[in-house]
């Protein structure tokens, strides 16, 4: 791990007015912004039909409009290890610091207490490294109402979690949050008190709402009743999308570009997707227009006086890009220390110290291995340990093991093809037999097109003299080779002919 020495002062964020937005958020979007005087807020926020305010909703799954969703269904597996402690809310109606109670199934309900408040003082932040991605969180998976739940959540448990709603909004989403250059840290309010068994408590709250995050999202969504909730959320979505169910609609928030490994668009920004495209492996997400999209959610323990809060890692997942088998690549992640004490971060034999509420750049390496002829998406989990810098510091827990999900697009560095090509020998040979067109496998582009061991029936044997011409050129799209051999013909005397070995070399170029 390497530490970035550059630092910049963060601008303190102005505290948001809580009272002005609490009821509006609960009534307009079912947001977790309820406060005393706002009765009837749902346990789990449910977006209204047709998408949230400011979102564009497309028609249902008729006429193949949900074909792009198949790419998201396939990609969801690659994000199974990505943490998703965010609540979706495109209206920015939630109140940072408000307490939340999390049930055993993962559903959140609001608590009428302000458990945390933004810290007023500025804190150092790591400067972006050259070429650092503008996106620090990518996610493809399922949301139930406004809660990101992954892919395999059990739907019946979500309806039997003690809530009062008999209808849930189920969404297959692709979302990306842009990098937060001014990360928000929180401190406890007067409602946070020491807990009898240690730590601290804030009423019945288990978590609190963090800062608003900006980004973009594409969602395929449908309502589900308690009687329809069988099996997993992803299974129900797969079934409805495969059946072309008109109850499934597409909604875009902000402008998110989603492309497959071949670069073909599979979803678009506001107004829906153009074309279709097929899912050919991993998806690439790019935010064209960022809007307020979600709120971070943190455990109450993060604001306890002697808590070793789990640090934030961005970007997630950590993407190494395209790396051929056997090659070594590096990627950087930014660690933000949310604890109120200085910490020591250890990864293997390397370690680095990070001040309280400070940041550091961590460097990871990966040498992917495999034998697939084509683009392969690999994922793995890397772990580092976080301990207080002062071994005697009275913090709980004493250390944290932080998992960093990582992904890489890989494959054989090159693909080669060799084949002897020849016409028959005769006065008027069929030169069409010496013309071949080859295409590189998916995920590869041409590196070399070459005729080898050529031999033509000219006086010197050359295939580029006495009327012979032998060419090998890359196709206009750069994805294959065209080999051509032409020569003389005669109806009276002499034999003619053309022979060579066509050789094509393609290099890995997954997008």
């Amino acid at each position: 791990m390497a530490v970035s020495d550059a630092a910049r002062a963060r601008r303190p964020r102005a505290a948001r007015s809580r009272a002005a937005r609490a009821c509006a958020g609960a009534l307009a979007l079912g947001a977790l912004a309820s406060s005393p005087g706002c009765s009837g807020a749902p346990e789990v926020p449910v977006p209204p039909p047709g998408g949230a305010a400011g979102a564009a909703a497309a028609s249902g799954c008729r006429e193949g409009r949900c074909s792009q969703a198949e790419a998201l269904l396939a990609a969801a597996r690659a994000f199974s290890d990505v943490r998703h402690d965010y609540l979706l809310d495109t209206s920015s109606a939630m109140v940072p610091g408000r307490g939340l109670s999390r049930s055993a199934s993962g559903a959140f309900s609001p608590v009428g207490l302000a458990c945390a408040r933004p810290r007023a003082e500025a804190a150092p932040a790591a400067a972006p490294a050259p070429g650092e991605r503008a996106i620090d969180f990518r996610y493809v998976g399922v949301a139930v109402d406004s809660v990101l739940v992954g892919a395999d959540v059990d739907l019946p448990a979500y309806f039997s979690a003690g809530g009062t709603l008999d209808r849930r909004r189920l969404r297959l989403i692709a979302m990306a949050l842009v990098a937060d250059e001014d990360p928000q840290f929180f401190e406890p309010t007067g409602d946070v008190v020491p807990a009898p068994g240690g730590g601290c408590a804030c009423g019945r709250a288990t978590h609190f709402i963090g800062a608003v995050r900006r980004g973009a999202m594409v969602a395929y969504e449908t309502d589900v009743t308690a009687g329809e909730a069988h099996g997993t959320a992803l299974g129900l979505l797969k079934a409805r999308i495969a059946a072309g169910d008109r109850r499934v609609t597409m909604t875009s928030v902000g402008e998110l570009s989603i492309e497959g490994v071949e670069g073909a668009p599979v979803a678009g920004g506001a107004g829906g997707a153009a074309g279709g495209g097929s899912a050919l492996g991993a998806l690439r997400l790019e935010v064209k227009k960022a809007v307020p999209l979600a709120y971070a959610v943190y455990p109450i323990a993060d604001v306890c006086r002697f808590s070793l809060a789990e640090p934030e890692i961005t970007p997630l997942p950590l993407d190494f890009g395209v790396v051929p088998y056997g090659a070594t690549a590096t990627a950087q992640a930014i660690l933000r220390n949310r604890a109120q004490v200085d910490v020591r971060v250890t990864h293997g034999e390397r370690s680095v110290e990070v001040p309280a509420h400070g940041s550091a750049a961590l460097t990871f390496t990966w040498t992917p291995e495999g034998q697939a002829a084509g683009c392969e998406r690999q994922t793995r989990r890397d772990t580092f340990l976080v301990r207080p810098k002062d071994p005697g510091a009275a913090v709980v827990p004493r250390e944290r093991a932080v998992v960093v999900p990582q992904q890489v697009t890989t494959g054989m560095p090159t693909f080669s093809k060799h084949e002897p090509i020849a016409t028959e020998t005769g006065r008027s040979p069929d030169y069409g037999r010496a013309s071949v067109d080859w295409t590189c496998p998916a995920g590869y582009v041409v590196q070399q097109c070459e005729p080898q061991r050529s031999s033509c029936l000219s006086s010197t044997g050359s295939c580029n003299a006495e009327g012979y011409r032998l060419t090998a050129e890359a196709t206009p799209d750069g994805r294959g080779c065209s080999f051509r051999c032409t020569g003389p013909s005669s109806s009276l005397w002499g034999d003619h002919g053309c022979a060579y070995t066509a050789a094509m070399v393609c290099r890995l170029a997954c997008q």
Side-chain angles (χ1 to χ4, degrees):
M1 293 180 295
V3 184
S4 173
D5 294 328
R8 63 180 184 274
R10 283 194 310 125
R11 299 182 303 276
R13 294 184 175 180
R16 297 178 180 269
S17 170
R18 299 183 178 126
R21 298 176 307 180
C23 294
L27 295 176
L29 290 176
L32 293 178
S34 65
S35 61
C38 292
S39 60
E43 179 182 9
V44 180
V46 180
S59 55
C61 275
R62 59 185 181 275
E63 300 176 358
R65 289 184 177 270
C66 282
S67 60
Q68 302 102 337
E70 296 176 0
L72 304 187
L73 290 169
R77 296 188 301 270
F79 291 83
S80 59
D81 286 338
V82 179
R83 291 191 56 181
H84 37 73
D85 292 335
Y86 292 98
L87 291 177
L88 302 176
D89 176 24
T90 58
S91 69
S92 298
M94 297 184 188
V95 181
R98 179 60 53 85
L100 301 171
S101 176
R102 188 173 191 173
S103 69
S105 69
F108 286 100
S109 59
V111 174
L113 292 174
C115 298
R117 57 173 171 260
R119 294 177 62 90
E121 67 270 20
E132 183 181 351
R133 294 173 176 83
I135 295 176
D136 65 15
F137 181 79
R138 294 175 173 86
Y139 176 73
V140 179
V142 176
V144 176
D145 298 327
S146 293
V147 183
L148 304 184
V149 298
D152 296 327
V153 63
D154 184 64
L155 277 180
Y158 228 83
F159 279 91
S160 62
T164 58
L165 296 177
D166 61 357
R167 184 181 298 271
R168 305 287 192 187
R169 175 65 54 83
L170 190 60
R171 293 188 277 187
L172 171 66
I173 67 172
M175 63 177 289
L177 301 178
V178 297
D180 190 352
E181 297 183 356
D182 186 21
Q184 185 71 68
F185 296 94
F186 289 82
E187 61 187 5
T189 64
D191 290 322
V192 177
V193 297
C200 59
C202 181
R204 61 182 182 88
T206 59
H207 294 71
F208 67 90
I209 299 171
V212 65
R213 296 297 308 273
R214 295 172 58 83
M217 177 181 76
V218 171
Y220 289 87
E221 54 189 54
T222 184
D223 286 340
V224 180
T225 64
E228 298 171 318
H230 303 290
T232 65
L234 191 62
L236 188 145
L237 281 166
K238 282 183 176 179
R240 289 196 176 179
I241 290 171
D245 198 317
R246 296 192 178 197
R247 291 173 293 178
V248 179
T249 59
M250 176 183 166
T251 300
S252 296
V253 182
E255 293 184 17
L256 181 67
S257 171
I258 310 177
E259 295 184 352
V261 295
E262 297 301 314
V266 297
S278 57
L280 299 172
L283 298 180
R284 184 172 66 250
L285 308 183
E286 181 181 356
V287 176
K288 299 292 187 180
K289 178 182 179 182
V291 298
L293 181 62
Y295 281 82
V297 176
Y298 301 112
I300 293 296
D302 273 14
V303 292
C304 293
R305 181 179 179 185
F306 297 110
S307 170
L308 183 62
E310 183 173 346
E312 284 186 345
I313 299 294
T314 56
L316 283 183
L318 186 59
D319 193 343
F320 284 76
V322 179
V323 184
Y325 295 139
T328 299
T330 61
Q332 277 196 343
I334 299 297
L335 178 145
R336 293 188 174 97
N337 178 17
R338 300 191 60 81
Q340 302 182 50
V341 298
D342 298 349
V343 299
R344 187 184 303 276
V345 181
T346 303
H347 181 246
E349 298 180 352
R350 296 167 293 175
S351 65
V352 63
E353 296 177 0
V354 186
H357 301 147
S359 304
L362 312 181
T363 300
F364 298 85
T365 62
W366 192 349
T367 305
E369 300 292 342
Q371 297 181 348
C375 296
E376 177 191 7
R377 192 63 146 185
Q378 293 186 3
T379 61
R380 72 175 188 181
R381 294 154 59 95
D382 206 347
T383 304
F384 60 85
L385 291 178
V386 179
R387 301 183 178 94
K389 177 182 176 181
D390 179 6
V395 296
V396 178
R398 294 299 305 164
E399 68 176 24
R400 284 189 177 274
V402 180
V403 176
V404 182
Q406 302 173 1
Q407 60 187 25
V408 68
T409 303
T410 185
M412 299 297 293
T414 59
F415 169 86
S416 300
K417 183 177 180 179
H418 299 75
E419 184 177 316
I421 307 295
T423 66
E424 75 279 8
T425 298
R427 295 180 181 179
S428 299
D430 180 6
Y431 287 103
R433 298 180 58 180
S435 298
V436 294
D437 294 293
W438 289 348
T439 301
C440 295
Y444 289 81
V445 295
V446 167
Q447 178 174 309
Q448 184 179 25
C449 303
E450 181 183 16
Q452 300 174 347
R453 296 188 291 273
S454 61
S455 176
C456 294
L457 295 181
S458 64
S459 60
T460 61
S462 171
C463 287
N464 286 291
E466 300 177 15
Y468 286 98
R469 177 174 172 77
L470 176 60
T471 61
E473 298 177 338
T475 56
D477 61 3
R479 300 188 55 80
C481 292
S482 292
F483 298 91
R484 300 287 185 269
C485 187
T486 58
S489 296
S490 173
S491 60
L492 297 178
W493 62 81
D495 286 333
H496 307 285
C498 181
Y500 64 95
T501 295
M504 178 176 72
V505 179
C506 306
R507 62 175 175 83
L508 188 67
C510 307
Q511 294 182 340

